[in-house]
Amino acid sequence: MRATINIDIGGTFTDCFVTADDKVSQGKAPTTRYNIALGFRQAIEAAAGGLGLSLDELLESTDVVRYGTTISMNALIERTGPKLGFITTRGHEDILAIGRGHSCYDGLSLDETRCLATLEKPEPLIPREMVVGVRERVDYAGKVVMPLQREEVLAKLQYLVDKGAMGFVVCLLWSIRNPVHEQMIKQIIQEEYPDTYLGNMPVILSSELIASRGEYPRANTTVLSAYMHADLADELHALGEELRQRGYKRSVLAVQNTGGTASVARTAAVNTYGSGPVAGLFGGTRICQVYGIDNAVVSDMGGTSFDFGLLVDKRPRFYETLPVIERYRTSIPMLQVSTIGAGGGSIAWIDPYVRRIRVGPKSAGSMPGPACYDQGGTEPTVTDADVVLGYINPDYFLGGSIPLSKDLAVKTIKEKIADPLGITVPEAAWSIKTIVDGTMGNEMFKEVALKGYDPREFVVFAYGGAGPTHCCGYASYLGNAKIYLFPFSPVFCAFGASSMNVMHVYDMARHIVLMKTKGGPLLSEYEEFNAIVAELKKRAIADMKGEGFNDSQIAFEMELGMHYGAQLFTVVVQSPCLLVKDDQDVTAICDAFEKTYAAAYSAMSAYPEGGIEVEVFRLKVVAEMPRYQFPVFASGGKSSKHAVKATRDVYWDGGFKKTPIYESGLLKCGNVVEGPAVIEASDTTTVVPAGKQYVVDQYLNAFIESVK
Amino acid sequence: MSGIDISVMVERWRPEPATEAEQECMKKMDLTTFEVFNHKIQLVALEGKEVMVSTGATSSLLAGDICSGLYTAQGDMAASAAGVWPHTVTGLFGIKWVLKHWKNEPSVGINDGDVFFNACSLAGAAHNMDQIVFQPIVYKGELIAWSSAVAHEPDVGAIEPGMPLSATTRYHEGELIPPIKIADNFRLREDVINMIINPSRTPRDLLLDTKAKVASCMRMRQRVLELAEKMGRDYVVGGLRMMIEEGAIRARKRLKSYPDGVYRGVAFSDSIGRDEGLYRIMMTVTKTDDKIKLDLTGTGPQVPGFINSFPPLTVGGLVLYLYNYLWPDVPPSTGVLEPLELVIPRPSLAFPEQDAAVTNGMQATTCVGQICFHPIFAKMAFDTPDRRNLAAPPCNHNRVPLLVCKTQYGTFTGGFMPEANGPGIGASTYKDGVNALSPSWACRTDSEDTETAESLFPMLYPFRLRHTKDMHGFGKFRSGAGFDSTYVVYGTDWFTLTCQGIFGRITTPGLFGGYGSTSFPQPHIINSNLLEMMNNSDENIPTNLQQVIIEKRIKGEYIVYGPNVPSNRVHKEGNVLTTAMGGGGGYGDVLERDPDLVMKDIRQELISDWVAKNVYHLAYDPKSLIVDYEKTEELRVAEKERRKQRGRPYEEFEKDWLKKRPPARALKYYGTWPDAHPL
């Protein structure tokens, strides 16, 4: 037996998805923030138990362990990272404190930032007294305008060391064009504090991490990486050590928020942030491949938030524009997963001015949680509404492990919503459900539409504790989207990690004019373009060699950030070729850009007269990893009657109706459940309204579609 | 119709009465459905904004001088994404103007596929640089809504590049384009577009931005039509109208919660653009039940400079305050203006004759107006749950540097300098204000990194965005700190810069005992040796504005400007230019400031030792930075005693005060002293 272990460490639970030949197993354990390794081990143990194996037996047969996380490092949350010194260009020492105009908003929602009297900027991770500037300057073209002075660097280093610096972050202006001064500073530090001394100081250069323009996000990326580095390295080292002691013989692969995985030794700490949800996107990719689906929205409705990401042509294609980690804007090429404050714990309230129901963004969280949890919560939530409406069985929530109080759900909705508005409790609950579904659906629609795609061409993959309960509601806003549901939904991000390849991403910001103006001359000096690609390829091949792959095992693809001349922003275009050798190649790239642009922003806004330019090169190198193949099950017939375990009153648009309740675990391949129906599993409840049917397919996944 | 009609912008800023059709449609909409609709429409406006920013050219898009929105068929704004909130007011007049004059004009008309344009201050645009594009949304032959997008453009062919500091009449301000059709049947009129971009020194930017606005309008139109198709025409018509009605309800209820009374505010400033001179903005707000009357009687006369403004900008100033501070939870809509009555004397600075120059009117009534709005509403809402939303005014030394230049790549471009929109915010009632860069003017906007700025424009910064010591308002809670930057023209010999400001010597006041901010000049150094200093790694290269101004570390010909910098000089490589912005006002008594917060300011290099000792009366060891709390308390008690000794009976103070009078040279634009009547 050969196995893979795939972990996603979440805020509440650590999820594990294990593949073992053609079998799979999943495990969950509470996340132990004080010692991540504990929850990590317990989750694997639980999954191993599902296969009838001990932890050691499983680890001895395991080829790869992949690690993803949805939580921030403790160092960041508790501000317990090392004391760092920040070295930058003299005259620009306030860069971390001043930031950019948007710094006040970064990491906060619109509602949190409308009032300027209550606005707060993020506190820099490196205080002003640990920042020094050195005399040096490089211009926009990479030309040295002011040479670096060694003596000054030495004096500034001494100041930082005297202040207690335990490491250095170096971010100089235009180091992305010419890193010579950053490299000189690193050399000076290594000479002054060599490895052999206890005083050896780690040095992180911004030019080694990020190649894109913009010193503020680049500085943040570098600072965050340095700040989280030690904590993460210790954590992963401890995990790896424990696994190895128990029989695992290989290295741990860290899931990267840029997509793909990489060995821990080749992972920057900042690239692990938010890698769990990105793994979820790759779970969606795998599903697309299995079903031949081109476009999908991967959606996760949990207790406090609704996360979703887009797959186009069977894969994630969209990156965050300068993603924010906590409240720090960075420039890592992180795949986009959008988050809004809508979940089972979202609180419903009456707008005091216009007397109508609003839902969220405040959440009751998991403590005290919804009123029906009977943990002291007094605010009506989406979960309370789901209980009132009969969707969630209070005696079978999470398989009965958490008994819910329907009385408390009714009481709080009655007192806080229904009575003040003069409507019935079910009407109030129905409104809550309708509004939260609308919020999620509208947001999904906007994201799809903004990327230039027709939302009606997308299916929805629904997971998360509340996803199957609300998916028919929110998916309807895309049109008549088909919805897919999965038995491994509770560990979907861990499942996603199981399908990820080893991959590295390389960016380089360079301005190349492909076409001067409409119908004008095309780029004819190909060397500059090709030299950039060659440089990126060189770095990619070196990294992949370090990962243990040779040239024949790796593949490249390239994306270009392009725009019409004079535009501020770029659109990401899949390049039809890696290198350009003639007019045909240049034209093909321009055509790809114009097609992408017109789809996103309409042909009326096209501006070919301004020319077409490349600003960012992004090369991806991929080494394929074996993937779990879904086993095919024999048909158990269309009838699903055997799975009906009860009936109860469930509220559908207009009133309660006796509705069949199904036990998910009893449904077989081919079974069809006609709506209205409720399907209960130990981890979630699927709500199927009238006019829809729930079909179990040959992989024991299910889809919901309209009845023809 | 031909000629000028200012009645629309003067009379039509409040929501139009609901039509019978709108009322019928509203009746059909239940509140749950409306909540979902409301959310959707807000997202559509946001989508429109994102499309505009993503496809446009100029840095004003990044600096946030933009707005996209959806309007009812009658032209009232139902939802918007900004940007600069005053645009939520100015956007509606062009639509109402077109409805009044072109709807039934056979040679123009309003048809599906049309796109209109307005950049005329006499038709309600803030000024001719704020170019507004708007499009009728026609469903099954019926006009059901409008989409609109606006952005500030860098150059519109005025008497000088950028914002024309020397303008004294509207005829100096460049192209004056009243509401006009720029596309029909979904096709841009190339001849009309050419006319619009032709006068500009940066036609490429103007063309691309215009297309970006059209794309924004088209996208919002598409979304509204999808909604109408899916949910029905009544859903859209009723929903948009309900958003207006809700705005009015929210405004009225909020006003009702404040105590009735008459609240006054007055602000003075000292630059009309091309010249220095005092002027006054005066506001009296009478709050009765759920209504307010805003009366600008007492505001100074029209001036021969570019800071006059028309009534939409006074209303714009009010919404800027309300949406950014007092009512951040209220979705912007024309409905919010429903309980407002406006009284503005004419002719005056706030309502001049129609040939007045108004390019920088936004700075006067809107920006100076903030100095009135903040204390007025602070007094009105202090004893209500809205106290947390109150603050001292933001920095009104808001310098808006605007450049037009030939780039290092040989193309012509223009836009806001990356530092625009970034001074410190006034202190709030419970905490310090936010330091620069901060969005005191526009909402949820951004600025450029040094690297982006240097790649877009031909310049090199020896220092940039340094928090300037002591350049903010002190108080129990201090304002956000300001910043300074200096740059040298690099890689071009054609670089022009204007800078618009309104406060030279007069500073932003504090609130309830807080100190005002500081004033500062803007030096330029012609034919400087800075690039040579850089080549030589000279250790005397300045790293803050004080070293430039006081120590004169850079050699060259110094020209020191106040708040305004004319663009009458073409700068060549090596010329050094500076920009700075201060903080806002402080809040409360400096003697009540937590000593630890004072010490934090010292550590962050935001205040000098002198301020710590002489303003905050802090006792501490300057080497170890350890506070002596007991000694500090003693010093503060002693200072309070000295204050009492300095005190005088009010009548005595007033008698002396009324004898004072500014010098005549400061009063040449003021009107009569002290009442500011026209001379």
Side-chain angles (χ1 to χ4, degrees), chain A residues 266 504 506 534-551 554 556 621:
Chain A
R266 293 185 181 276
H504 287 270
Y506 305 88
E535 164 65 22
L536 295 176
K537 272 181 87 172
K538 193 173 136 194
R539 287 161 54 188
I541 290 166
D543 272 340
M544 280 311 205
K545 227 171 224 171
E547 297 277 7
F549 299 101
N550 61 39
D551 290 5
I554 61 178
F556 296 97
V621 58

Side-chain angles (χ1 to χ4, degrees), chain B residues 270 275-279 660-673 679:
Chain B
D270 56 5
D275 195 8
E276 290 185 307
L278 271 182
Y279 64 86
K660 294 179 187 293
R661 180 188 172 96
R665 64 185 166 82
L667 293 176
K668 52 189 168 181
Y669 306 117
Y670 183 85
T672 61
W673 178 261
L679 292 170

Side-chain angles (χ1 to χ4, degrees), chain B residues 248-278:
Chain B
I249 292 168
R250 287 179 194 279
R252 283 186 179 280
K253 287 192 176 176
R254 203 63 161 261
L255 286 170
K256 202 174 171 67
S257 71
Y258 304 145
D260 285 355
V262 178
Y263 303 84
R264 292 191 179 86
V266 63
F268 296 88
S269 191
D270 56 5
S271 173
I272 66 160
R274 63 184 182 85
D275 195 8
E276 290 185 307
L278 271 182

Side-chain angles (χ1 to χ4, degrees), chain B residues 548-671:
Chain B
V548 175
I549 297 170
I550 298 167
E551 299 177 25
K552 287 196 165 48
R553 290 191 180 188
I554 302 171
K555 286 181 184 160
E557 179 194 344
Y558 277 68
I559 302 173
V560 180
Y561 295 103
N564 291 293
V565 177
S567 61
N568 54 8
R569 178 186 295 276
V570 174
H571 294 282
K572 300 187 183 314
E573 180 164 283
N575 285 5
V576 170
L577 309 152
T578 64
T579 187
M581 293 194 204
Y587 172 85
D589 190 346
V590 287
L591 298 183
E592 293 178 15
R593 183 161 179 77
D594 183 337
D596 290 339
L597 288 178
V598 181
M599 189 48 66
K600 190 178 173 191
D601 291 344
I602 291 173
R603 286 180 194 279
Q604 294 184 338
E605 302 185 15
L606 298 181
I607 60 170
S608 61
D609 178 65
W610 190 93
V611 167
K613 286 179 176 163
N614 295 286
V615 176
Y616 290 115
H617 297 270
L618 188 81
Y620 72 105
D621 178 353
K623 281 190 181 163
S624 66
L625 300 184
I626 292 172
V627 178
D628 183 336
Y629 296 98
E630 272 184 33
K631 180 76 176 164
T632 298
E633 183 57 24
E634 282 173 23
L635 290 173
R636 290 180 170 186
V637 168
E639 175 58 17
K640 282 177 187 168
E641 282 305 312
R642 285 195 292 276
R643 283 182 180 175
K644 285 180 194 168
Q645 287 162 15
R646 289 197 297 268
R648 300 162 66 193
Y650 181 75
E651 292 75 17
E652 191 184 314
F653 160 78
E654 189 183 36
K655 196 175 162 191
D656 282 353
W657 181 254
L658 290 176
K659 288 178 193 163
K660 294 179 187 293
R661 180 188 172 96
R665 64 185 166 82
L667 293 176
K668 52 189 168 181
Y669 306 117
Y670 183 85

Side-chain angles (χ1 to χ4, degrees), chain A residues 94 98 100-101 105 113 116 119 135 137 139 174 214-215 218 351 353 356 431 449-450 567 600 607, chain B residues 32 35 50 55 204 219 223 246 250 253 324 431 444 446-447 449-451 454 465 467 490 537:
Chain A
D94 285 339
I98 282 194
R100 288 170 44 156
Y105 303 124
T113 54
L116 302 188
L119 215 52
R135 254 180 299 145
R137 197 66 157 84
D139 73 6
W174 290 116
E215 72 280 4
R218 191 168 76 248
D351 188 313
Y353 298 101
R356 63 180 160 81
S431 287
L450 257 181
Q567 280 184 318
Y607 182 51
Chain B
T32 299
E35 169 65 10
E50 290 183 19
T55 56
R204 191 168 89 143
R219 178 62 65 88
R223 294 286 169 257
E246 278 207 347
R250 287 179 194 279
K253 287 192 176 176
N324 268 350
K431 70 172 191 68
R444 285 194 83 81
D446 207 355
S447 57
D449 295 280
T450 303
E451 288 175 353
E454 290 183 356
L465 300 181
H467 280 317
Y490 182 72
S537 293

